[in-house]
Amino acid sequence: MSRITEIFPQGQVSEAQEDLEAYSIKDQKTKTIVWPTDEEQLRQLLRYVIRTDTTILIKGSGTSQRVKQIPQNSIILDTSRKNKIIKADLKQKTATVEAGLLIKDLNDFLLDYGLEFPIKPDNPTSTIGGLIAVNGKTRRTARYPELIDWVEELEVMDGSGKLYSTKTVKDFIGSEGVNALILKAKIKLTEPIKKTRIQSYAFDHSLDVLEKIKDLEQDPTLLSLEMIEKTSSSILKEPERYFLLAEFTTEDLTSAEDMKLWKEVRDLHSILCQKGYDVIEDVKIPRENIPKILMWIRKNKIPARVDMSLGIIYLYFRKNQNTTIKELYLQTKKLEGNVNGCYGIGTQKKEYIEKELKEEVKELKQIYDPDNTLNRGIIL
């Protein structure tokens, strides 16, 4: 590790056994963990890994669902110490931030100024860089469907150490760090939504859900459309029906019954994890085919919730259901869906992604990281 310690001072590099175990998966051991704080450290690190044919695995806050394999003797690059708010332009409603900044910390800072970054994933420890890497989502996708609408500019470093400031953000959103290190982002802000109302609807048949959604989407105050299927309803001790929850911006009050169901659905993740359903899969299905995947979900008694605006389905499995998970991927492709909902592809789903997407990633990899230094084994 002598060369690495010349790049990173004490406290920014570790080979301590407890640190290595914390960053490893099962019996796949990492070699070294580094916590860079400036660009020159990153450049020197990249020169080192190219010379020694080592690979870098980029880590934000560790919320990724999809990295199930770590190349042996990888160097883990932890971005969590690059977490500064560089500039907040309150007049233009933009902020320039480092990639390791937690979205929660950013929004806590902006609260006093009457602004927020609206793409807020469920996990409060998600970072800006991690969100961009997997093209993450918020629950209010009826109002804020795409992250790319909220990212103006990125500063990235390619696999050779070259620095780019670019407005071609589409090359890096959802790329999972395979072509560049995301260092900084200039993002758009908006005023927080202060008052909302929840309305619930119950259905016996999924086709009726789709018909109702057509009506609800005509309402310009709509923020989100979320549904739980019948297995989840039963686990929540509700009638075995499809429950659709719509959120609106309005001064009207939410009924006590609807608020109770809303809170139950918000707690569904932790409830299912406590019951042993702690393997989460996400797929994206065309709306017209959602009834078909719901039939398969019902047949296999899989708890799930659905973002009806985007067609992203979050399914909860037990640890011994790997065969059923692979069947899910095949069903998704059969229904012209995408195995990547919003948690990324990682190492787990790469054999199931579309050929076109794989070719697109290969092209970007060749442009920005031809030596295959960054996140080797992810997606490709």
Side-chain angles (χ1 to χ4, degrees):
M1 193 176 69
S2 58
R3 179 56 186 150
I4 296 290
T5 55
E6 292 174 18
I7 300 172
F8 295 94
Q10 188 174 3
Q12 286 184 238
V13 59
S14 177
E15 273 192 344
Q17 190 62 34
E18 60 269 26
D19 288 333
L20 297 179
E21 289 178 359
Y23 282 78
S24 297
I25 297 174
K26 295 182 180 177
D27 59 345
Q28 301 169 64
K29 301 300 183 183
T30 59
K31 175 182 180 180
T32 312
I33 303 117
V34 296
W35 292 267
T37 56
D38 63 57
E39 282 75 15
E40 186 53 35
Q41 289 176 343
L42 289 170
R43 285 193 190 93
Q44 291 187 45
L45 176 64
L46 287 168
R47 293 188 196 112
Y48 170 83
V49 298
I50 290 171
R51 190 173 67 251
T52 58
D53 192 29
T54 312
T55 187
I56 289 177
L57 191 68
I58 306 160
K59 176 187 176 295
S61 60
T63 60
S64 173
Q65 306 280 336
R66 299 291 163 244
V67 180
K68 302 300 183 187
Q69 294 175 316
I70 294 178
Q72 288 294 118
N73 297 320
S74 298
I75 295 174
I76 300 290
L77 193 161
D78 187 323
T79 65
S80 61
R81 296 188 190 176
K82 290 187 65 62
N83 58 3
K84 295 182 180 64
I85 299 171
I86 297 167
K87 180 181 179 182
D89 189 328
L90 305 180
K91 187 175 181 181
Q92 296 298 319
K93 297 180 183 176
T94 63
T96 302
V97 302
E98 291 185 321
L101 179 68
L102 299 184
I103 296 167
K104 180 182 183 302
D105 289 348
L106 172 63
N107 280 329
D108 286 348
F109 168 79
L110 293 170
L111 192 61
D112 289 340
Y113 301 98
L115 292 170
E116 72 169 6
F117 179 61
I119 312 300
K120 299 179 285 188
D122 284 345
N123 194 316
T125 63
S126 296
T127 64
I128 291 288
L131 185 79
I132 292 169
V134 300
N135 192 18
K137 310 296 181 189
T138 178
R139 277 196 163 182
R140 289 175 169 172
T141 51
R143 176 68 58 88
Y144 310 116
E146 296 299 336
L147 173 62
I148 196 169
D149 297 329
W150 295 89
V151 181
E152 280 194 2
E153 192 171 346
L154 292 172
E155 183 177 291
V156 302
M157 183 177 287
D158 71 11
S160 70
K162 183 179 178 181
L163 206 60
Y164 296 79
S165 288
T166 178
K167 293 188 176 181
T168 312
V169 298
K170 65 179 179 60
D171 283 358
F172 307 99
I173 293 178
S175 68
E176 300 186 41
V178 301
N179 54 355
L181 301 166
I182 298 169
L183 304 182
K184 298 173 188 172
K186 184 179 180 182
I187 54 179
K188 299 177 186 177
L189 310 174
T190 189
E191 292 85 5
I193 294 166
K194 294 180 180 177
K195 291 189 177 181
T196 66
R197 175 177 64 87
I198 310 303
Q199 179 72 52
S200 70
Y201 309 88
F203 304 91
D204 292 315
H205 305 289
S206 57
L207 288 173
D208 294 334
V209 178
L210 299 190
E211 286 302 312
K212 184 63 181 178
I213 286 171
K214 291 178 184 177
D215 293 335
L216 293 173
E217 287 182 329
Q218 304 306 308
D219 191 329
T221 69
L222 182 67
L223 290 172
S224 66
L225 282 169
E226 189 168 354
M227 187 189 75
I228 57 170
E229 48 62 60
K230 294 181 179 182
T231 300
S232 295
S233 300
S234 178
I235 288 172
L236 292 176
K237 296 183 169 44
E238 297 288 347
E240 284 198 14
R241 306 183 75 189
Y242 296 109
F243 283 94
L244 177 67
L245 290 146
E247 183 185 18
F248 305 90
T249 55
T250 177
E251 297 288 328
D252 297 340
L253 296 176
T254 301
S255 72
E257 184 178 350
D258 284 344
M259 183 55 70
K260 173 180 173 289
L261 182 58
W262 177 257
K263 289 179 178 177
E264 287 176 345
V265 173
R266 281 293 184 267
D267 290 338
L268 181 63
H269 172 85
S270 56
I271 291 169
L272 290 173
C273 287
Q274 288 170 11
K275 291 181 177 291
Y277 295 96
D278 53 1
V279 178
I280 308 164
E281 292 295 328
D282 58 317
V283 297
K284 188 173 182 180
I285 303 290
R287 183 176 290 180
E288 64 273 16
N289 287 334
I290 286 179
K292 293 178 182 178
I293 196 71
L294 288 174
M295 289 174 61
W296 181 86
I297 288 170
R298 182 64 174 161
K299 175 185 172 184
N300 288 279
K301 298 180 180 179
I302 302 164
R305 63 179 178 87
V306 187
D307 177 337
M308 294 302 298
S309 293
L310 297 183
I312 297 175
I313 306 178
Y314 303 90
L315 305 95
Y316 291 77
F317 295 86
R318 299 185 188 276
K319 285 187 172 66
N320 61 355
Q321 291 187 281
N322 290 336
T323 301
T324 312
I325 290 171
K326 289 180 179 179
E327 188 181 339
L328 167 67
Y329 297 160
L330 295 174
Q331 285 290 325
T332 298
K333 291 177 72 68
K334 182 179 176 182
L335 295 174
E336 302 179 325
N338 191 329
V339 295
N340 173 26
C342 71
Y343 290 150
I345 296 161
T347 58
Q348 184 179 350
K349 296 183 174 184
K350 58 187 179 182
E351 65 181 285
Y352 298 96
I353 64 173
E354 299 81 359
K355 182 180 178 182
E356 295 78 11
L357 175 59
K358 190 169 283 190
E359 290 303 315
E360 182 182 335
V361 174
K362 279 182 180 177
E363 273 186 40
L364 292 172
K365 187 79 168 173
Q366 189 59 38
I367 293 169
Y368 295 107
D369 185 31
D371 292 315
N372 196 21
T373 300
L374 304 172
N375 276 8
R376 191 179 295 172
I378 304 294
I379 301 181
L380 299 176

